[in-house]
Amino acid sequence: MGSVDIGYANRLRRDGITTILPLDQYKVQDIWDHLHRHPTWIGHVKREGRPANEDEPRSTCWGLDAVLTAPHLLELALSLTPTVEEYLEATPVLYSMNAFTTYPNVAIIPGIHDFHRDADDTKFLGMFVYLTDVPTDEWGPHDLEGPDGVVRSIYGPAGTTF
């Protein structure tokens, strides 16, 4: 799988977040092109939702089939197994993958766009990859409150991975 990057695990413990090497523009474009050949669904996660349309650009997602077959994403997630194992101090299990969109300057959807905490399990990690540039607050950066109580906003170009 690869060697453990203790730096990543230590930064996760200290800050509650760490950036990792970004995806290059070609991989980002591969993922983008793949996803945009598949239908989107209204909401954050496709459950029993309905197909999205252009009149409702608040939050859309792709089905699991599109996400799992997207180039580079599963490979990226699995390449982090040693770091995740070091951080969790347990054998990790990849149990979910999702790809969703949020749009700048639209009404906030409570529980998705506002500050919240996921409670999937007692100890877990989420990984995010920006497929578009997120340069300012207007573009909806991911915000995270670290163990020190400091809220950090993650900005970056397409490919930023954290």
Side-chain angles (χ1 to χ4, degrees):
M1 286 279 177
S3 62
V4 174
D5 182 326
I6 300 299
Y8 289 154
N10 285 340
R11 286 192 298 276
L12 282 167
R13 285 188 197 95
R14 183 189 69 212
D15 301 331
I17 194 167
T18 187
T19 55
I20 62 174
L21 292 175
L23 290 179
D24 67 48
Q25 64 182 349
Y26 303 105
K27 289 182 179 180
V28 169
Q29 192 64 51
D30 286 348
I31 296 166
W32 186 260
D33 291 345
H34 171 83
L35 290 175
H36 282 84
R37 287 192 297 269
H38 292 80
T40 56
W41 302 83
I42 293 296
H44 181 63
V45 178
K46 179 187 172 190
R47 289 200 173 96
E48 296 176 17
R50 59 185 169 74
N53 67 54
E54 293 180 18
D55 297 330
E56 302 172 291
R58 291 178 50 188
S59 182
T60 57
C61 66
W62 284 271
L64 185 59
D65 57 332
V67 178
L68 286 175
T69 58
H72 316 296
L73 288 180
L74 183 58
E75 176 185 19
L76 174 61
L78 293 176
S79 75
L80 297 171
T81 298
T83 297
V84 174
E85 186 169 25
E86 170 66 21
Y87 173 73
L88 295 177
E89 299 176 340
T91 301
V93 174
L94 177 62
Y95 72 92
S96 178
M97 288 185 69
N98 189 18
F100 60 92
T101 59
T102 56
Y103 298 88
N105 301 317
V106 297
I108 290 177
I109 300 172
I112 295 174
H113 293 143
D114 59 352
F115 195 84
H116 70 278
R117 293 189 187 276
D118 291 333
D120 295 36
D121 206 331
T122 56
K123 196 171 187 182
F124 68 97
L125 287 175
M127 180 183 72
F128 292 84
V129 178
Y130 288 157
L131 297 181
T132 60
D133 295 341
V134 181
T136 65
D137 285 337
E138 290 76 29
W139 284 89
H142 182 85
D143 294 326
L144 175 93
E145 181 180 0
D148 57 4
V150 174
V151 175
R152 293 165 176 83
S153 296
I154 308 300
Y155 305 98
T160 297
T161 304
F162 54 97

